[in-house]
Amino acid sequence: MDGHSIAEVWDRVLGTQPAPPQWIALGSAGLALLAVLPQPVWRITRNVVTIAHEGGHGLTALLTGRRLSGIRLHSDTSGLTVSSGKPTGPGMILTAAAGYTAPSLLGLGGAALLAAGHTTALLWISIALLAGLLIMIRNAFGLLSVVATGAAFFLVSWYGSSELQGAFAYLGVWFLLLGGVRPVAELQRKRRHGGARDSDADQLARLTGVAALVWVTVFLVVALACLGLGGSWLVGPVPPFG
């Protein structure tokens, strides 16, 4: 790639792109629902939410000064992030709280970028985050999941038309916003039946003395707030900071 081509790529990444027709924004929301609601489909697509969930744990651990040992993603859509450091305190609390909120917060950030016209930037930021996550993956299925997801983003961003890039980006953001809600409901259902007693919410309860149900409620409020706000940006006017 010559210098001129590199400059063109950077101009596109840093520049803005026109918003796709509203039917794409609404249609991608419908497709995202179809990727979240039917259980047979969710068993597959939930892996993307797990990537965001465990990535949230890992990134927060690093930002709060903890030492990240590795991340594992499993074929049953569960995951594990191992970090070391002080076993109590704000760093540990924020790290534990980051998992269930990460998909929704990433979706909200993506919605802000799309509403401001930064479709290409969103795709390349996603690739960069996945590349950073890949370094910390410690099992074969996790490597396959992250590489496959990153490859999809790269192929669309590099070879796809502007229309395809817009549709793919909107679909991905809607999926994170909608897919961030369902795992919280699943968590509470498991807890109600006596399962998931070492869940993030239960760990937070032990760390803070605040009931696990309160933390589940916090996760749900964050997810619904991000869905409402991010969804309004995707189908409405550009946010003030765009």
Side-chain angles (χ1 to χ4, degrees):
M1 183 183 292
D2 57 31
H4 181 65
S5 299
I6 294 174
E8 289 179 345
V9 170
W10 276 111
D11 285 343
R12 182 165 177 80
V13 171
L14 298 177
T16 60
Q17 293 77 45
Q22 191 173 48
W23 71 265
I24 289 183
L26 297 175
S28 59
L31 288 175
L33 271 175
L34 291 177
V36 170
L37 293 181
Q39 184 61 28
V41 179
W42 178 241
R43 290 194 190 102
I44 300 172
T45 59
R46 196 183 192 282
N47 285 291
V48 177
V49 176
T50 302
I51 291 173
H53 179 115
E54 300 302 332
H57 282 313
L59 180 59
T60 306
L62 292 174
L63 292 175
T64 57
R66 297 181 62 78
R67 187 168 64 254
L68 183 59
S69 301
I71 296 173
R72 301 176 70 88
L73 306 171
H74 304 130
S75 58
D76 63 356
T77 73
S78 65
L80 176 66
T81 299
V82 179
S83 65
S84 57
K86 188 177 179 181
T88 59
M92 187 62 195
I93 293 170
L94 289 172
T95 299
Y100 279 97
T101 56
S104 297
L105 292 174
L106 287 171
L108 182 64
L113 287 171
L114 290 179
H118 296 295
T119 303
T120 304
L122 168 63
L123 296 174
W124 281 86
I125 289 171
S126 300
I127 293 169
L129 290 174
L130 288 166
L133 178 64
L134 187 63
I135 298 172
M136 300 308 303
I137 296 295
R138 295 293 183 265
N139 68 321
F141 182 82
L143 287 172
L144 177 62
S145 298
V146 175
V147 168
T149 305
F153 274 90
F154 175 77
L155 291 173
V156 170
S157 66
W158 195 257
Y159 297 106
S161 64
S162 58
E163 292 80 9
L164 177 60
Q165 290 183 15
F168 182 82
Y170 270 76
L171 175 61
V173 170
W174 273 118
F175 176 76
L176 287 174
L177 291 172
L178 292 165
V181 178
R182 180 163 179 173
V184 181
E186 292 175 337
L187 169 62
Q188 183 53 28
R189 184 165 59 250
K190 289 179 181 178
R191 294 188 68 260
R192 189 168 59 246
H193 290 90
R197 289 306 178 187
D198 199 36
S199 70
D200 294 351
D202 292 276
Q203 292 181 44
L204 285 163
R206 292 191 289 270
L207 286 167
T208 64
V210 177
L213 181 58
V214 174
W215 284 107
V216 174
T217 303
V218 170
F219 297 159
L220 182 60
V221 169
V222 170
L224 292 176
C226 289
L227 175 58
L229 183 58
S232 70
W233 290 347
L234 292 176
V235 299
V238 176
F241 50 86

